[in-house]
Amino acid sequence: QVELVESGGGTVQPGGSLRLSCVASGSTWRYCMGWFRQAPGKEREWVARIDTIGLTYYEDSVEGRFTISKDNSKKTSYLQMSSLKHEDTATYYCAAGVGCAWDYWGQGTQVVVSS
């Protein structure tokens, strides 16, 4: 059993920064971690992932602005977001799984970018 808990969401001004955290509990550490988001009225979309050897991948609209990282000892992944735009407003979900299969999901943390 693996549980994921996100934190760090909130309301920020356009151009601002926010750092999301996702801590995993239980099981062994052999899965990659990623972030997804779902905006109102939209389908969930993939944002970023970091695989088991530390390689990172990003959705085009966030590349250069967002950085995903992980701390294996803490079983925690982070999503550092900068230069935030209104269109980044969404509920952000942490995900994890063996081979990036996304077996486990957090409950989400809301990010609102508003002036």
Side-chain angles (χ1 to χ4, degrees), residues 65-105:
R65 299 189 297 120
F66 292 10
T67 301
I68 187 171
S69 61
K70 64 178 179 179
D71 184 330
N72 289 333
S73 66
K74 297 180 180 179
K75 296 184 178 181
T76 302
S77 72
Y78 306 92
L79 186 68
Q80 177 66 51
M81 306 182 293
S82 61
S83 301
L84 284 162
K85 307 172 181 179
H86 181 268
E87 48 264 46
D88 294 318
T89 296
T91 299
Y92 284 71
Y93 297 90
C94 175
V98 177
C100 298
W102 313 129
D103 302 299
Y104 309 100
W105 295 83

Side-chain angles (χ1 to χ4, degrees), residues 25-70:
S25 63
S27 190
T28 60
W29 189 257
R30 58 168 294 185
Y31 38 79
C32 57
M33 303 190 76
W35 290 89
F36 294 74
R37 67 186 180 187
Q38 186 168 20
K42 302 280 188 173
E43 292 188 348
R44 182 181 61 195
E45 67 173 349
W46 169 76
V47 174
R49 80 172 192 265
I50 183 165
D51 67 20
T52 54
I53 60 173
L55 297 177
T56 59
Y57 306 84
Y58 300 94
E59 193 273 329
D60 289 345
S61 69
V62 309
E63 189 160 18
R65 299 189 297 120
F66 292 10
T67 301
I68 187 171
S69 61
K70 64 178 179 179

